């Protein structure tokens, strides 16, 4: 308990850790660098915090630091072949979102106005980060600009204190994403979210519908409501007991309490991740990255806890709200056939929205994009291509509409 109190002190009294400035991945000339700095948001150098006995104690207990997270991420991204830029995008209240940006032209930054397809924006799930898309970024960026960012409170983004109110915490995530969009300069985007990222993508689409061209929900968390009379007998006693003991703490508090055993704990409990990325890594690269992502000061993790009720149900179920998404915004669900999250929510939504698309990728679990990356990439690209064709067909019809008909249509609308 004494160690837990120390962790809480760290969360409430210590500012975000200093993050080293990161250069661009590829060698670029001065003109290209100037374009990147002009088109993207400002890169920032977070201020170094004052040392304290808490900070001197934590590294000796938890073998992690922002620089180790940076190194682990860079090792993950070595398998990405296409050039991209990396930087923090400044938003309000001294916060920032860590961002990877891919364009269709090597050595250049995405130009939203010059692309036929709106940029694809990737939002990771709970406990994740941008480098978990390592097996997808090359393929997905082959046909248009792609942005991947660490959600507020996760990864290498700033880790502010969130409100304990679930609606307020959701609003903080939404505000951060909207401010990021404004800074990057995107008029509209295709929003793809996994797990918690799917929940937040849907919430963002509800609030800013004119900014979302297509909503892709990959194994989204938080859609169904908890049953009024949940069948506790189906949940093993030890899980219920553990849930009762850990309920006052953040979901991943045990990882930090494990101290120097944390990395080994991740390698043991999540040994499946080594298999998911076995085509690109043959060591503990992925588990090391996951450890450093989640051994840092909890922030987004705390917000997630405040948005949930036992055992992982959302306090504000998205299935009760997603029907309010404008009808002209296409919605696609992507599930894995072996996932522990069933696709019932997607099919329930499809009953009220028949045009909603549901794709199930065979042989994939919850981390669809890592279990079957090639199938996932092709599925997303097919969805994007079809959406783009529909947009082009609509534009062609509008251009072919006789001038007199357009005038009449405009008169009727007025």
């Amino acid at each position: 308990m004494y160690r837990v109190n120390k962790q809480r002190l760290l969360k409430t009294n210590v500012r975000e850790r200093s993050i080293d400035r990161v250069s661009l991945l590829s060698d670029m000339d001065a003109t290209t660098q100037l374009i990147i700095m002009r088109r993207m948001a400002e890169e920032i150098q977070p201020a170094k915090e004052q040392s304290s006995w808490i900070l001197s104690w934590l590294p000796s207990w938890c073998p992690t630091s922002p620089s180790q997270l940076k190194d682990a991420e860079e090792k993950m991204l070595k398998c990405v072949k296409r050039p991209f830029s990396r930087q923090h995008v400044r938003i309000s209240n001294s916060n920032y979102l860590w961002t990877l940006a891919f364009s269709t032209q090597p050595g250049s930054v995405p130009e939203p106005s010059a692309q036929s397809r709106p940029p694809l924006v990737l939002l990771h799930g709970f406990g994740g980060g941008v480098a978990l898309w390592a097996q997808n970024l090359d393929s997905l960026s082959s046909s248009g600009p792609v942005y991947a960012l660490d959600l507020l409170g996760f990864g290498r983004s700033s880790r502010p204190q969130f409100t304990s109110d679930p609606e307020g915490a959701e609003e903080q995530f939404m505000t951060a994403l909207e401010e990021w969009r404004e800074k990057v300069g995107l008029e509209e985007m295709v929003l793809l979210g996994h797990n918690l990222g799917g929940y937040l993508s849907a919430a963002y689409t509800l609030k800013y519908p004119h900014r979302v061209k297509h909503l892709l929900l990959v194994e989204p968390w938080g859609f169904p409501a908890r049953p009024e009379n949940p069948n506790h007998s189906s949940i093993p006693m030890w899980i219920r007991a553990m849930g009762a003991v850990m309920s006052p703490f953040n979901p991943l508090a045990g990882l930090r309490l494990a101290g120097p055993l944390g990395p080994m704990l991740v390698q043991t409990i999540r040994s499946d991740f080594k298999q998911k990325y076995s085509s690109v890594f043959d060591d503990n690269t992925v588990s090391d990255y996951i450890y450093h992502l989640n051994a840092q000061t909890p922030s987004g993790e705390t917000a997630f806890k405040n948005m949930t009720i036992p055992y992982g149900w959302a306090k504000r179920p998205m299935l009760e709200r997603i029907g309010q998404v404008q009808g002209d915004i296409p919605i696609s669900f992507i599930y894995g056939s072996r996932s522990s999250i069933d696709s019932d929510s997607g099919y329930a939504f499809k009953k009220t929205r028949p045009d909603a698309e549901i794709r199930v990728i065979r042989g994939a679990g919850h981390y669809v994009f890592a279990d079957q990356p090639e199938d996932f990439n092709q599925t997303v690209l097919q969805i994007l291509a079809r959406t783009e064709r529909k947009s082009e067909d609509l534009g062609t019809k509008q251009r072919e509409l006789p001038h007199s008909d357009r005038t009449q249509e405009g008169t009727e609308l007025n």
Side-chain angles (χ1 to χ4, degrees):
M1 181 63 71
Y2 184 56
R3 288 169 179 165
V4 173
N5 288 336
K6 285 183 177 180
Q7 187 63 34
R8 285 181 174 175
L9 282 173
L10 180 64
K11 177 187 70 175
T12 55
N13 295 334
V14 180
R15 297 179 180 177
E16 298 86 356
R17 288 171 172 266
S18 173
I19 300 178
D20 295 335
R21 184 174 182 172
V22 179
S23 60
L24 298 181
L25 178 68
S26 58
D27 294 328
M28 299 180 181
D29 56 30
T31 302
T32 302
Q33 294 179 15
L34 182 61
I35 293 174
I36 289 177
M37 294 307 294
R38 183 174 66 248
R39 292 295 300 163
M40 292 289 291
E42 300 163 272
E43 183 174 0
I44 61 173
Q45 180 86 10
K48 292 183 178 180
E49 66 227 17
Q50 297 179 351
S51 61
S52 68
W53 68 270
I54 298 176
L55 289 179
S56 63
W57 167 81
L58 182 65
S60 64
W61 180 244
C62 293
T64 189
S65 66
S67 63
Q68 287 174 288
L69 172 57
K70 169 192 158 187
D71 292 342
E73 180 192 90
E74 290 183 345
K75 191 174 181 181
M76 285 282 294
L77 294 174
K78 282 183 179 179
C79 67
V80 178
K81 298 179 175 58
R82 294 179 62 84
F84 61 95
S85 64
R86 301 184 269 195
Q87 54 195 308
H88 290 100
V89 175
R90 185 200 305 266
I91 56 177
S92 64
N93 299 320
S94 300
N95 288 316
Y96 45 89
L97 298 184
W98 179 242
T99 304
L100 309 184
F102 291 75
S103 72
T104 55
Q105 297 298 326
S108 65
V109 73
E111 294 282 352
S113 60
Q115 302 291 342
S116 58
R117 191 204 80 190
L120 173 64
V121 176
L122 306 177
L123 301 184
H124 62 77
F126 174 75
V130 294
L132 290 182
W133 303 106
Q135 298 181 96
N136 317 108
L137 293 169
D138 282 330
S139 179
L140 296 181
S141 63
S142 63
S143 63
V146 172
Y147 294 85
L149 59 141
D150 283 338
L151 294 169
L152 184 67
F154 289 98
R156 297 181 64 191
S157 291
S158 59
R159 295 177 176 243
Q161 182 173 354
F162 281 79
T163 176
S164 60
D165 174 62
E167 184 174 358
E170 182 180 309
E171 178 64 26
Q172 284 179 262
F173 281 119
M174 295 303 94
T175 300
L177 183 55
E178 172 60 9
E179 291 180 353
W180 173 88
R181 181 202 62 77
E182 291 179 349
K183 276 300 184 74
V184 174
L186 306 182
E187 288 300 317
E188 58 182 7
M189 54 190 169
V190 175
L191 205 51
L192 185 154
H194 171 253
N195 187 267
L196 173 62
Y199 179 92
L200 297 177
S201 295
Y204 179 88
T205 304
L206 283 168
K207 187 168 184 179
Y208 304 100
H210 57 296
R211 300 302 183 187
V212 180
K213 190 72 173 179
H214 194 132
L215 177 62
L216 283 81
L217 303 170
V218 182
E219 291 273 323
W221 166 84
F223 271 60
R226 184 178 69 172
E228 293 184 5
N229 297 306
N231 184 13
H232 289 297
S233 62
S234 65
I235 302 175
M237 178 63 74
W238 71 271
I239 292 182
R240 281 183 279 161
M242 183 66 70
V245 171
M246 296 300 295
S247 60
F249 308 110
N250 283 318
L252 299 176
L255 179 64
R256 292 179 289 276
L257 289 173
L261 299 179
M264 185 180 299
L265 184 65
V266 175
Q267 294 173 20
T268 302
I269 296 179
R270 295 315 308 260
S271 59
D272 57 314
F273 270 93
K274 188 170 184 177
Q275 176 61 34
K276 296 178 192 299
Y277 292 84
S278 60
S279 64
V280 287
F281 305 113
D282 58 2
D283 54 12
N284 294 320
T285 294
V286 183
S287 59
D288 288 346
Y289 176 60
I290 293 174
Y291 171 74
H292 290 299
L293 279 172
N294 296 292
Q296 310 290 316
T297 306
S299 171
E301 177 186 340
T302 304
F304 177 80
K305 174 184 177 296
N306 294 333
M307 294 165 66
T308 64
I309 53 178
Y311 295 85
W313 302 91
K315 288 183 178 179
R316 305 181 70 239
M318 186 55 64
L319 197 56
E320 298 175 358
R321 297 182 278 156
I322 193 173
Q324 301 171 26
V325 171
Q326 291 183 4
D328 60 343
I329 300 177
I331 300 178
S332 301
F333 290 82
I334 300 177
Y335 293 99
S337 65
R338 298 188 295 103
S339 175
S340 57
I341 294 183
D342 60 50
S343 55
D344 289 352
S345 294
Y347 286 105
F349 176 67
K350 188 173 177 63
K351 291 180 180 179
T352 60
R353 179 84 176 264
D355 63 333
E357 180 179 18
I358 299 177
R359 302 287 289 271
V360 178
I361 297 180
R362 296 183 60 183
H366 180 57
Y367 288 86
V368 191
F369 56 90
D371 289 324
Q372 299 292 337
E374 292 185 6
D375 289 347
F376 174 82
N377 295 339
Q378 289 305 309
T379 298
V380 173
L381 291 174
Q382 289 169 8
I383 293 174
L384 294 177
R386 187 166 60 253
T387 301
E388 186 176 344
R389 285 196 299 270
K390 289 181 179 179
S391 298
E392 292 175 350
D393 291 343
L394 179 60
T396 300
K397 290 180 179 179
Q398 291 177 341
R399 287 192 298 270
E400 292 176 350
L401 187 66
H403 178 73
S404 58
D405 290 349
R406 289 199 298 265
T407 303
Q408 180 67 24
E409 181 181 353
T411 303
E412 292 175 355
L413 291 173
N414 291 330

